[in-house]
Amino acid sequence: MRVGEAAQRAGVNVETLRYYERRGLLPEPKREPSGHRRYDEETVRFLRAIKEAQAVGFTLAEIAEYLRVSRRSGSPSEALRVRMAAKIDEIDSRIAGLQRMREELARVVGCACDSLDHCTCGAAYLARRGRDVEMPAVLHVTNGESAGNTLRQTALGGAVLPWQDVLHEGPVPAVSRPQLLRLRAAFLSECGWGSRSAILSSLERRDRRLVEALREGVHVVLWFEHDLYDQLQLLDVLALAHEVGSAPALIVIDSFPGKPAFRGLGELTADELETLWPARHGASQEALEDAAAVWNAFRAPEPTALAQWGVRGSDALPFLESALLRLLEELPSPKDGLSGNERRALQAIAAGSRTPVAAFIAEQELEPAAFLGDAWFYRVLSGLDGLVETSDGSTLPAPPPLSDANVFARLPIRLTKEGERVLRGEADRVELLGIDRWIGGTHLTPQNLWRWDPGERVLMS
């Protein structure tokens, strides 16, 4: 057949076909005595195959490279499988990146700020061309955007500053504040929450906003809850306030009238948040000093001082004791080597949870004060390779936001035989899988292994 017919049947135009020939993708066709090029059915099938490869994401350069490799390879099909697997990894990476972009856009869209001049979100900062907001009369500091957006809808006025750091995960060592923020930004970026520079800029802007407000005498009000996530953030903020020499006001609760299953400020309406306003009170000097001392103990290279605070608690910070005891449960248990999060995850699966999202919901019910978000729970699951697997025996993929959250949440999962043994206390998680994890400033490794017995409240090394 002539070039026009071959191009038409393959669904490309003639110029595209000629371009493929110039790129070396198509072999030189035979010519008629008249000099016209002749194409056959093999050419049509080959052109269609190129189009299909492009449709699933391969570039012409990648297709050409595959053809070169397959011509040299004794197993062209294996070469194709290798290329396909690499392309799947690339596509998964793009999907994860797009998911992170979507979540950030959704967070910005969800920001309920009335004025760009007073909002502390990244979009408002960009709109002001990098200028900080004018200092408000009131600065509300809270754990994240959920409660933050509702606070913006109240009649209380002022600006809202979400603290937004998961301090029970990753390194929080006793280093200078600038170095600590760099370490946190690097860790959060590695977990998939954005670029290191963008996260660092956000953390630095957050700190600067708080410190300036405290120094300028702004009425700073801290809105936090009783759980571990919030109590660690509260320690961080109060330790900064202690350093500045200023006492913010506190609204810290563990319950709310009419909500017997109270989980946090984020589930309250604007009107309900306003009812808490009259109960605010200034942080005492004892609260500031205790917070600074516990913050230092949390960041120490060994958890001995932290364990002492967990056992005795603080009269000035009434929810600190239970939060610290829960934090200490993240050290390996002397019975099975599991952290508290890991044990609850395995228990949820053993009890019948067949997907990560079902296990997360069940795990929340096992917590006296739920503090773990779904993405961080999925990270715990992914770290249990060898104890948890998919129903076909495969390893769990990277957790969101490094992978698609919807796909990960619905994976069919089960315990492995080793997972069942560890849960029964017949094997040790650390001995099976090793350990490389931070609890505040303590870097847990096989050479620096600390364990916590929650029943006896005893620290072991």
Side-chain angles (χ1 to χ4, degrees):
M1 68 187 80
R2 296 283 183 89
V3 63
E5 181 182 356
Q8 183 180 19
R9 291 181 58 184
V12 300
N13 60 49
V14 172
E15 289 306 314
T16 298
L17 189 153
R18 299 290 194 204
Y19 178 68
Y20 290 170
E21 287 181 341
R22 291 196 299 273
R23 289 286 301 263
L25 296 173
L26 290 175
E28 184 73 21
K30 296 179 180 179
R31 293 182 180 268
E32 296 178 336
S34 61
H36 292 295
R37 299 184 180 189
R38 298 293 296 177
Y39 299 88
D40 54 19
E41 291 293 337
E42 186 65 27
T43 301
V44 173
R45 286 194 293 270
F46 194 77
L47 287 168
R48 289 173 178 167
I50 291 176
K51 285 191 63 179
E52 290 173 2
Q54 287 182 295
V56 297
F58 284 93
T59 65
L60 287 179
E62 288 170 333
I63 295 169
E65 173 62 19
Y66 164 68
L67 291 173
R68 284 193 291 271
V69 171
S70 62
R71 292 185 188 115
R72 297 193 301 266
S73 173
S75 178
S77 60
E78 181 61 27
L80 178 59
R81 278 194 290 272
V82 171
R83 290 295 189 279
M84 289 288 188
K87 180 56 66 173
I88 289 172
D89 289 342
E90 179 185 328
I91 291 171
D92 285 344
S93 177
R94 291 180 186 174
I95 289 172
L98 289 170
Q99 183 67 25
R100 291 193 294 272
M101 291 170 61
R102 185 191 185 283
E103 290 171 354
E104 180 62 17
L105 286 171
R107 186 186 69 79
V108 172
V109 169
C111 179
C113 54
D114 294 323
S115 169
L116 293 177
D117 293 332
H118 294 93
C119 185
T120 59
C121 79
Y125 186 75
L126 181 64
R128 293 191 302 269
R129 298 185 180 182
R131 290 184 295 105
D132 270 328
V133 299
E134 295 180 5
M135 196 59 67
V138 179
L139 180 65
H140 306 278
V141 183
T142 190
N143 59 12
E145 288 294 349
S146 179
N149 278 334
T150 311
L151 277 169
R152 293 184 182 103
Q153 298 166 22
T154 67
L156 300 175
V160 177
L161 182 64
W163 206 245
Q164 288 187 314
D165 196 357
V166 188
L167 294 166
H168 57 81
E169 292 282 350
V172 193
V175 295
S176 69
R177 190 70 183 185
Q179 188 176 353
L180 176 62
L181 296 188
R182 289 193 293 271
L183 286 172
R184 296 303 298 167
F187 168 72
L188 294 170
S189 179
E190 289 166 3
C191 292
W193 295 104
S195 73
R196 184 178 305 190
S197 60
I199 296 172
L200 178 59
S201 176
S202 177
L203 294 176
E204 290 173 338
R205 190 166 65 247
R206 178 203 70 184
D207 273 22
R208 183 171 64 250
R209 188 66 178 151
L210 173 69
V211 169
E212 288 177 355
L214 290 168
R215 285 175 175 165
E216 294 186 22
V218 172
H219 187 40
V220 177
V221 184
L222 312 185
W223 299 72
F224 287 98
E225 302 147 17
H226 59 302
D227 61 68
L228 174 60
Y229 177 87
D230 277 45
Q231 289 295 299
L232 289 179
Q233 289 188 352
L234 180 62
L235 288 178
D236 189 9
V237 176
L238 288 177
L240 283 173
H242 180 263
E243 186 177 327
V244 172
S246 178
L250 299 177
I251 297 176
V252 186
I253 63 173
D254 67 341
S255 61
F256 191 86
K259 294 187 180 293
F262 175 76
R263 290 294 183 91
L265 295 167
E267 64 187 30
L268 301 184
T269 66
D271 289 341
E272 288 170 335
L273 287 176
E274 286 183 25
T275 66
L276 299 173
W277 184 249
R280 70 193 186 281
H281 60 280
S284 66
Q285 185 62 30
E286 182 186 359
L288 293 172
E289 290 175 357
D290 281 1
V294 179
W295 180 246
N296 287 336
F298 173 59
R299 298 190 302 139
E302 58 182 47
T304 49
L306 184 67
Q308 292 169 3
W309 276 104
V311 171
R312 74 171 182 261
S314 165
D315 292 337
L317 300 169
F319 305 123
L320 187 60
E321 180 180 345
S322 60
L324 292 183
L325 289 174
R326 181 62 187 87
L327 175 64
L328 288 163
E329 283 189 50
E330 289 309 290
L331 295 171
S333 164
K335 297 179 180 179
D336 51 29
L338 292 168
S339 72
N341 285 333
E342 291 171 337
R343 182 176 301 100
R344 288 166 174 81
L346 297 187
Q347 287 173 342
I349 299 170
S353 298
R354 293 292 174 259
T355 62
V357 67
F360 169 67
I361 294 170
E363 189 272 347
Q364 297 287 282
E365 296 301 320
L366 297 173
E367 290 284 1
F371 66 93
L372 201 62
D374 56 357
W376 294 102
F377 176 78
Y378 297 156
R379 187 170 182 267
V380 171
L381 281 183
S382 288
L384 293 173
D385 182 24
L387 307 185
V388 178
E389 64 186 7
T390 64
S391 59
D392 64 1
S394 300
T395 300
L396 269 63
L402 296 172
S403 65
D404 186 280
N406 291 325
V407 173
F408 189 98
R410 289 164 176 77
L411 288 170
I413 58 173
R414 65 188 182 191
L415 297 185
T416 65
K417 296 297 184 184
E418 290 298 329
E420 293 173 353
R421 291 184 62 236
V422 169
L423 190 55
R424 291 194 299 266
E426 299 171 359
D428 188 274
R429 174 251 190 262
V430 176
E431 293 177 3
L432 289 173
L433 306 183
I435 191 168
D436 185 359
R437 190 171 75 241
W438 288 81
I439 302 296
T442 303
H443 188 191
L444 297 171
T445 66
Q447 294 74 39
N448 186 46
L449 186 59
W450 296 84
R451 295 179 185 253
W452 173 256
D453 186 331
E456 300 295 329
R457 294 189 177 187
V458 173
L459 185 68
M460 306 174 183
S461 62

